[in-house]
């Protein structure tokens, strides 16, 4: 078994939080100086733990166990959203550091070791999942050249300080036998159920739609109701239909959202001539997502009438990623061995395990978020829960190592 040291784990987490620390919270945006400084700190910590560690030219950090021919990869990310929380993905990276260090300190030997990765720009400041997609070799030609932050800054310019770094690290199918990621839950379910460990069954698929309506703007005081070409009214009817119809399609874990709606020209005394709204659906079941999308498309087509043209496009589609059944079982067994029946749940948020899990058996562990809060300076998790989560992950890795060996 791998016995982690909770005090050292918490010290490292708080040391990492000082890079971009806001007291409370952290502002450590991908490729900022604080982000790169944090990554160099991590390289030093991994090297001190006996791993071969480096920072590559897309900003990924990788630590390799030099004594092992095969390895379990533990990874997550250390970049944050603006004015974000101190744990988020960084907790999973420090878990990897502590488990790799404790494994080597234990004197354990064998054919399987532990590698650790911190992937760049999971949060999508420039390009979502840049690091894990680069690592997996799934970036498409031209994506880096086209990527920009909201302020217009280019990813190409952000990469310039790393031009002399090694070529991008790549997943090694002959070496890496599994991928494990730990994360705060970012939601309220563990805390609400008084459970300490969540085991992720899969990361949900995402489909986003842009629904637009085009009618004719006119004076709202002088245009009779029956003679209006009201683009806004068409979208309001669709939004109301979503609230009534989607529950009939949904499974227990299906979620949906109308995230934005805009009328133009946007004045109280003008009939909207144009309107737009954003709709998102998430679930693990592709067939269910297909049915919901088909029903929404049919409703959009039906609203294209009375001089108003309504259309729908799907700018974003992310396929769901199931977690490996054997790793799910190992995580659940490790939690149970510590006296904690785990909650089996999907992840409604995207994670690097979503990308790596497409090419490698993967699993995820959650620990509770106090108040269900994430991506905010008040984000926090009880110290005891952080330590427990790391030990459960370490025990699960021991189980996986035994199976692989």
């Amino acid at each position: 078994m791998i016995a982690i040291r909770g005090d050292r784990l918490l010290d490292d987490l708080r040391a990492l939080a000082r890079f971009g620390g806001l007291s409370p919270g952290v502002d450590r945006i991908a490729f900022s100086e604080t982000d790169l400084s944090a990554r160099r700190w991590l390289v030093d910590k991994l090297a001190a733990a006996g791993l071969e560690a480096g920072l590559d030219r897309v900003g990924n950090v990788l630590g390799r166990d030099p004594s092992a021919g095969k390895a379990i990869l533990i990874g997550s990310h250390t970049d944050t959203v603006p004015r974000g929380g101190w744990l988020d993905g960084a907790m999973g990276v420090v878990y990897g550091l502590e488990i790799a260090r404790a494994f080597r300190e234990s004197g354990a030997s064998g054919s399987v070791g532990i590698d650790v990765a911190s992937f760049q720009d999971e949060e999508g400041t420039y390009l979502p999942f840049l690091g894990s997609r680069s690592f997996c070799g799934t970036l498409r030609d031209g994506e880096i050249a086209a990527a920009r932050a909201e302020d217009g800054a280019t990813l190409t310019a952000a990469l310039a300080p790393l031009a002399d770094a090694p070529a991008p690290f790549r997943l090694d199918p002959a070496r890496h036998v599994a991928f494990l990621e730990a994360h705060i839950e970012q939601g309220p379910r563990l805390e609400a159920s008084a459970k300490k460990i969540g085991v992720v069954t899969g990361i949900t698929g995402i489909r986003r739609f842009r629904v637009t309506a085009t009618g004719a703007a006119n004076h709202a005081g002088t245009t009779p109701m029956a003679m209006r070409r009201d683009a806004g009214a068409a979208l309001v009817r669709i939004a109301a239909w979503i609230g009534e119809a989607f529950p009939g399609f949904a499974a227990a874990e299906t979620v949906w959202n109308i995230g934005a709606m805009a009328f133009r020209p946007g004045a109280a005394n003008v009939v909207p001539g144009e309107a737009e709204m954003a709709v998102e659906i998430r679930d693990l079941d592709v067939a269910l997502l297909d049915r919901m999308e088909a029903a929404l498309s049919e409703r959009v087509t039906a609203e294209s009438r009375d001089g108003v043209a309504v259309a729908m496009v799907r700018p974003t589609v992310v396929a769901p990623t199931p977690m490996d059944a054997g790793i799910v079982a190992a995580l659940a067994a490790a939690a149970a061995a510590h006296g904690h029946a785990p909650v089996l749940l999907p992840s409604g948020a995207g994670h690097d395990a979503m990308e790596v899990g497409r090419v490698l058996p993967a699993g995820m562990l959650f620990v509770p978020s106090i108040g269900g809060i994430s991506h905010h300076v008040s984000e926090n998790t009880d110290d005891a829960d952080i330590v427990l989560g790391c030990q459960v992950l370490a025990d699960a890795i021991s189980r996986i190592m035994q199976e692989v060996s």
Side-chain angles (χ1 to χ4, degrees), residues 102-352:
F103 175 71
R104 293 180 67 80
E105 289 172 349
S106 72
S109 61
S111 61
V112 184
I114 294 172
D115 291 354
V116 181
S118 174
F119 297 120
Q120 180 60 287
D121 204 12
E122 190 266 7
E123 296 291 1
T125 297
Y126 294 91
L127 186 60
F129 306 106
L130 164 68
S132 51
R133 292 184 62 211
S134 171
F135 186 72
C136 295
T138 58
L139 280 177
R140 297 187 300 273
D141 291 344
E143 283 191 88
I144 287 179
R148 282 172 170 72
E150 287 187 1
D151 63 3
T154 67
L155 177 55
T156 301
L159 289 168
L162 298 172
D164 295 330
F169 301 131
R170 290 285 189 262
L171 182 148
D172 183 352
R175 175 180 178 83
H176 294 124
V177 296
F179 176 75
L180 276 295
E181 180 173 3
H183 209 282
I184 59 170
E185 183 195 358
Q186 299 182 284
R189 293 175 57 169
L190 289 179
E191 188 177 66
S193 62
K195 300 292 187 180
K196 299 298 185 181
I197 299 294
V199 176
V200 176
T201 56
I203 301 176
T204 59
I206 304 170
R207 299 191 190 183
R208 290 180 185 148
F209 309 97
R210 186 167 65 92
V211 183
T212 58
T214 305
N218 214 331
H219 197 296
T222 62
T223 307
M225 299 302 292
M227 299 177 68
R228 297 184 180 197
R229 297 170 57 193
D230 190 334
L235 292 199
V236 168
R237 288 192 294 269
I238 294 173
W241 173 87
I242 287 172
E244 295 170 355
F246 273 12
F249 292 97
E253 303 293 349
T254 313
V255 295
W256 58 90
N257 190 47
I258 298 174
M261 184 180 287
F263 296 165
R264 290 183 287 273
N269 62 346
V270 181
V271 176
E274 297 178 345
E276 180 178 323
M277 73 176 177
V279 180
E280 180 183 272
I281 55 177
R282 299 190 185 210
D283 198 85
L284 285 170
D285 186 342
V286 172
L288 186 151
L289 294 172
D290 286 342
R291 292 193 295 272
M292 294 179 76
E293 179 177 349
L296 178 60
S297 178
E298 182 178 346
R299 181 66 188 192
V300 165
T301 299
E303 285 294 342
S304 195
R305 56 185 170 84
D306 300 330
V308 177
V310 186
M312 182 179 88
V313 295
R314 187 183 69 182
T316 300
V317 56
V318 178
T321 305
M323 297 292 96
D324 179 81
I327 297 177
V328 168
L331 288 166
H338 281 269
H340 294 278
V343 176
L344 300 180
L345 74 171
S347 172
H351 298 282
D352 289 306

Side-chain angles (χ1 to χ4, degrees), residues 9-23:
L9 167 70
L10 295 170
D11 285 347
D12 284 341
L13 266 174
R14 291 189 166 93
L16 180 55
R18 287 195 285 270
F19 292 92
L22 300 173
S23 298

